[in-house]
Amino acid sequence: MIGPPIVVVMGVCGCGKSSVGQGLANALGCRFIEGDQHHPEANIVKMSAGIPLTDADREGWLAVIAGFIADADRTNQPLVVACSALKRRYRDQLRGDSARVLFLHLDGDKALIAARMAARTAHFMPTALIDSQFADLEPPSADEAALTQSIRLSAETIVAEACRHLNTINRAANTTAGGNA
């Protein structure tokens, strides 16, 4: 990955995407986009009622998020986005043709997620949707640019590890680019 990173912080509801994403954006000195703020009202109403979204429901929302990523790629800007990106095809859509996108998968078990969601007060996603989130989750494959971190770690530790990983990738890319010059 040469150039500033574009990181999509992904995972099921309640895993800490917003906290980790904002922390990572602060550490990288770049813009943070909270994907949930870009859901159409119909999606929010549906989720608030405990009704899982379908692929069709997510299509327009993912296109908006993919647009932010494509803009950052085109203008060579860094970006951090919080987006569930549960399925491989969603991640493929978000990534587009950018080689700068890294997915930071926040991984945790249902019991921990349920406890976190039960403690939340200012979010539209009810705990009733946890099972549907886990049913849709396709963890990143080995052929995807992804880093998986346990949500049992603190947000600060996850951010520090993601920064270390990004620095390692950039050093390797710069060494390769410098060796070919």
Side-chain angles (χ1 to χ4, degrees):
M1 175 190 331
I2 295 183
I6 298 171
V7 180
V8 178
V9 182
M10 62 158 289
V12 299
C13 55
C15 69
K17 293 182 294 287
S18 300
S19 298
V20 169
Q22 186 64 67
L24 184 57
N26 290 345
L28 297 174
C30 70
R31 182 177 178 202
F32 172 67
I33 294 175
E34 171 52 71
D36 283 345
Q37 292 178 353
H38 298 280
H39 270 294
E41 186 62 28
N43 284 5
I44 294 171
V45 168
K46 196 170 182 180
M47 288 184 285
S48 296
I51 301 168
L53 296 180
T54 64
D55 289 348
D57 294 328
R58 290 183 178 107
E59 186 63 33
W61 171 66
L62 288 168
V64 169
I65 304 301
F68 290 125
I69 292 169
D71 287 346
D73 192 50
R74 184 175 49 260
T75 59
N76 203 38
Q77 296 296 310
L79 178 66
V80 176
V81 178
C83 176
S84 54
L86 296 174
K87 296 181 180 181
R88 170 70 182 248
R89 69 176 164 264
Y90 301 166
R91 294 189 296 276
D92 289 345
Q93 180 180 351
L94 293 170
R95 183 183 311 105
D97 61 1
S98 177
R100 294 177 35 223
V101 176
L102 173 78
F103 291 93
L104 174 54
H105 176 212
L106 303 182
D107 185 39
D109 61 51
K110 282 186 191 179
L112 181 54
I113 295 292
R116 287 183 173 194
M117 287 187 66
R120 294 197 310 193
T121 57
H123 199 279
F124 58 81
M125 181 74 85
T127 56
L129 293 179
I130 293 172
D131 286 339
S132 70
Q133 291 268 296
F134 275 95
D136 282 349
L137 178 62
E138 297 170 0
S141 300
D143 66 330
E144 293 181 83
L147 172 65
T148 298
Q149 292 289 296
S150 170
I151 63 170
R152 293 197 180 279
L153 301 171
S154 69
E156 295 80 14
T157 300
I158 294 170
V159 167
E161 180 59 23
C163 287
R164 187 199 65 71
H165 184 77
L166 289 167
N167 286 335
T168 299
I169 290 170
N170 281 334
R171 276 195 306 273
N174 288 335
T175 300
T176 301
N180 293 334

